[in-house]
Amino acid sequence: MNFSKYLRFAVVGACALAACKGGPPTATKPGKYSSTTGIEYNTEEGMKVSDYQGIPDGPGLVFIEGGRTVLGSAEEDIAMTHDNMERTVTLASFYMDEAEVANIHWLEYLHYVRKDSSEEFYQSALPDTTVWARELSFNDPYVDYYLRYPGFRYFPVVGVSWLQANDYCTWRTAKVNERLAGESGGGDDSGSSSGGGLFGRKKKKGDSGDAAEGTSEDGGGTKIAIENGNTLPNYRLPTEAEWEYAAQALIGTQETGNENQENKRIYPWDGRQVRNPYGKGMGQFLANFKRGRGDYAGIAGSLNDGAMITEYIYNYPPNDYGLYNMSGNVNEWVQDIYRPLSYEDVEDLNPFRRNGFLDPTEKYDKKGYQSLIDDHVRVYKGGSWRDVAYWLSPGTRRFMAEDSATATIGFRCAMINAGSNK
């Protein structure tokens, strides 16, 4: 390299370091040259830096601004579990589905799974429709019709285990990112980016396997890469803390510029009652739940919540984050394994319990039938059409085996807010 070339790099580097054009570099405007070496990006010698305009819009997602809050039960602990005492935590901003995953979404999932994956996996992805069957109740029509009949398309999918919900999140991530990469010209149809064979199908001849991120594949396409910024982070189940925080929706009570959180809610809406106190909807129930023994919907001509079982996922008013049915309709799976003392053990920034760390499963005598707790039981939240109002409070929590399913548990997806603190 001659002296003039050295001089050119020095001048370019100095200009970049001083941010002489347009201010300091940012994620969306990194500049033409490296601010530390002065080497030009996107050249034979320089590093490839993709265009980035921020995280793409994720279908169905609503932005949840994070911050400090007090998590924990706001209701009397009638079960005497003492498993969700109040504590102050901070959560990073994230995204969450505005409504529960519905039957039509699960049928779409089954459609692609049957095309792209093994028959064995397809069978394992089928919801357990027998969760509706009861020996002493005539729920037989729901067994046959609830999942597939068009009228139930936008009712929440049920009969889905925690494990099945996680598989759905994996598939949804692959399918959405396949579309986004294709729209940006960054992907191909070879299967490497789309999740073809994601659940058991053998790779087709010519599949390139695991190429380095951001590099060209043998087939001529480009692998979906984090560095490209043209795809979304993983869809996943929300953590328990994220779910509870989003359900509280205290952003609706917060005064601008006030650092104090002076209000708390028993439910995802204002007030201590479960009826709408305002406007034309005054007196109407704000969630789908069981009012009392034998009362699922009220009397004909004056139904209360209007739903004997589940209901349309966009029914009832959304909370202040724009989320529907964060109380009632169906309970919802979250990521965390259950431990009664999680509120004491987990950290105060983005709290989450992924395993039995600090509270090992050996402490719980499940084999001796003295406990139901191990590392395969997961938390579910929110209350359902079959639950009384107590369980509608975001702080209440229950658990069930991760491979089990009922007619009262569904789920919604969440996603990190990558690349931003806002």
Side-chain angles (χ1 to χ4, degrees):
M1 185 182 292
N2 57 35
F3 178 76
S4 62
K5 195 169 184 180
Y6 274 119
L7 183 61
R8 179 172 62 85
F9 273 120
V11 172
V12 169
C15 184
L17 286 169
C20 58
K21 290 184 179 180
T26 65
T28 56
K29 295 180 179 180
K32 189 176 181 180
Y33 301 93
S34 166
S35 60
T36 54
T37 65
I39 298 175
E40 186 175 357
Y41 294 133
N42 300 318
T43 61
E44 184 176 345
E45 182 179 356
M47 182 180 73
K48 175 178 172 53
V49 177
S50 302
D51 290 335
Y52 175 66
Q53 299 303 320
I55 187 171
D57 290 333
L61 297 176
V62 170
F63 178 69
I64 310 296
E65 184 181 7
R68 184 195 71 223
T69 192
V70 177
L71 298 181
S73 183
E75 281 278 45
E76 182 181 355
D77 189 4
I78 59 173
M80 301 295 288
T81 55
H82 304 296
D83 65 349
N84 206 20
M85 308 294 284
E86 290 187 339
R87 74 278 190 201
T88 300
V89 302
T90 294
L91 286 98
S93 299
F94 59 100
Y95 294 89
M96 181 178 277
D97 277 339
E98 65 178 352
E100 299 137 343
V101 173
N103 288 323
I104 192 170
H105 305 136
W106 199 269
L107 291 173
E108 180 188 25
Y109 170 50
L110 294 176
H111 166 78
Y112 284 105
V113 163
R114 187 152 223 175
K115 289 174 57 178
D116 298 338
S117 302
S118 65
E119 181 63 21
E120 180 182 6
F121 183 79
Y122 172 78
Q123 293 296 326
S124 72
L126 293 172
D128 181 7
T129 59
T130 64
V131 294
W132 290 106
R134 311 285 290 182
E135 287 293 333
L136 298 176
S137 181
F138 186 65
N139 289 339
D140 305 44
Y142 302 133
V143 175
D144 297 326
Y145 289 96
Y146 181 80
L147 175 64
R148 299 182 184 276
Y149 188 73
F152 290 122
R153 280 174 177 165
Y154 284 94
F155 282 47
V157 66
V158 297
V160 172
S161 70
W162 183 93
L163 296 173
Q164 288 175 309
N166 269 272
D167 286 338
Y168 174 88
C169 293
T170 301
W171 167 84
R172 184 176 175 185
T173 301
K175 211 63 186 173
V176 170
N177 281 340
E178 174 190 16
R179 178 183 61 80
L180 290 172
E183 289 175 355
S184 66
D188 60 17
D189 296 325
S190 65
S192 59
S193 63
S194 67
L198 189 63
F199 298 118
R201 173 169 287 182
K202 294 180 179 179
K203 288 184 177 181
K204 299 176 183 177
K205 186 177 180 181
D207 280 359
S208 55
D210 296 325
E213 289 185 336
T215 61
S216 295
E217 297 187 325
D218 295 339
T222 301
K223 182 182 176 69
I224 291 177
I226 293 174
E227 291 88 345
N228 287 344
N230 61 351
T231 55
L232 289 166
N234 292 339
Y235 284 88
R236 56 174 173 79
L237 292 177
T239 66
E240 181 178 7
E242 286 175 337
W243 192 99
E244 189 173 330
Y245 177 83
Q248 288 178 348
L250 292 177
I251 193 171
T253 67
Q254 191 64 28
E255 296 180 10
T256 303
N258 186 354
E259 275 280 315
N260 296 318
Q261 196 172 69
E262 297 174 348
N263 297 284
K264 190 166 183 180
R265 289 169 164 170
I266 297 177
Y267 306 111
W269 51 80
D270 292 337
R272 304 183 62 85
Q273 66 282 331
V274 292
R275 295 180 184 269
N276 190 341
Y278 308 112
K280 294 181 179 179
M282 184 181 297
Q284 295 178 0
F285 278 77
L286 294 166
N288 176 17
F289 67 104
K290 185 178 180 180
R291 186 176 177 182
R293 181 170 296 178
D295 186 356
Y296 290 85
I299 60 174
S302 184
L303 297 177
N304 49 50
D305 65 42
M308 284 69 172
I309 55 166
T310 56
E311 180 54 284
Y312 177 53
I313 59 173
Y314 295 105
N315 206 358
Y316 312 104
N319 71 7
D320 287 308
Y321 276 125
L323 303 173
Y324 291 84
N325 289 298
M326 292 299 283
S327 283
N329 213 21
V330 289
N331 291 287
E332 298 178 16
W333 288 114
V334 296
Q335 278 200 58
D336 300 52
I337 68 165
Y338 176 81
R339 288 293 189 274
L341 297 182
S342 285
Y343 70 93
E344 288 186 355
D345 298 336
V346 294
E347 297 194 14
D348 59 3
L349 174 64
N350 298 324
F352 170 54
R353 176 149 245 154
R354 73 184 78 242
N355 52 37
F357 180 68
L358 293 182
D359 196 0
T361 189
E362 290 78 13
K363 289 185 177 181
Y364 299 90
D365 184 14
K366 192 169 184 179
K367 291 183 178 178
Y369 302 101
Q370 300 302 306
S371 174
L372 296 173
I373 299 172
D374 62 14
D375 287 345
H376 299 284
V377 293
R378 303 286 173 169
V379 178
Y380 63 90
K381 308 272 286 182
S384 76
W385 58 273
R386 201 173 174 181
D387 291 315
V388 295
Y390 171 78
W391 297 108
L392 303 183
S393 183
T396 56
R397 60 199 303 250
R398 287 175 286 183
F399 63 92
M400 193 170 70
E402 63 185 22
D403 60 354
S404 298
T406 78
T408 62
I409 301 181
F411 72 102
R412 73 181 74 208
C413 301
M415 180 186 293
I416 66 167
N417 179 34
S420 174
N421 273 323
K422 296 182 179 179

